[in-house]
Amino acid sequence: MEIYYFMIIGYLVLSWFPNARESFIGGLLGKLVEPYLSPFRKIIPSVGFIDLSPIVALIALRFVVMGIMAVLDFIAGMF
C-alpha cells in the first residue's frame, strides 16, 4: 500500500507541470490511480482551482491500511 500511496502523490505532483500527465509515466500513473480517485472526485467538490479529493483519498487509504493491519494483528494474536 505504501507504493500506491506514493503513486497517488506522484500523480498529484505531475498535475503541477504542464502536459506532464500526457507523458508515458503520467498516463501509466493515471491508469493506476484514477479508478481510486474518481469516486472521491464525485463526492467532494473542488474549492476554486484546488481539488481536495486526493487528500481525502490518501487519508482514506491510510485508514484502510490501519484497519487491515489491526485485523491481521488480532488474527495473529489468536494463535
Side-chain angles (χ1 to χ4, degrees):
M1 286 296 174
E2 290 292 322
I3 293 171
Y4 198 68
Y5 186 82
F6 288 118
M7 287 170 53
I8 294 172
I9 293 173
Y11 187 66
L12 296 176
V13 169
L14 286 177
S15 70
W16 298 343
F17 301 101
N19 300 324
R21 285 191 177 174
E22 286 77 28
S23 68
F24 174 75
I25 294 174
L28 180 64
L29 285 177
K31 289 178 184 177
L32 295 171
V33 170
E34 277 298 327
Y36 177 70
L37 292 178
S38 62
F40 291 98
R41 287 196 173 120
K42 291 177 185 175
I43 297 170
I44 302 164
S46 296
V47 179
F49 292 107
I50 299 172
D51 185 13
L52 299 176
S53 59
I55 296 169
V56 175
L58 288 171
I59 292 170
L61 183 61
R62 280 286 174 203
F63 279 121
V64 168
V65 169
M66 288 172 37
I68 291 171
M69 295 304 293
V71 169
L72 291 176
D73 285 343
F74 177 75
I75 292 172
M78 293 176 66
F79 296 106

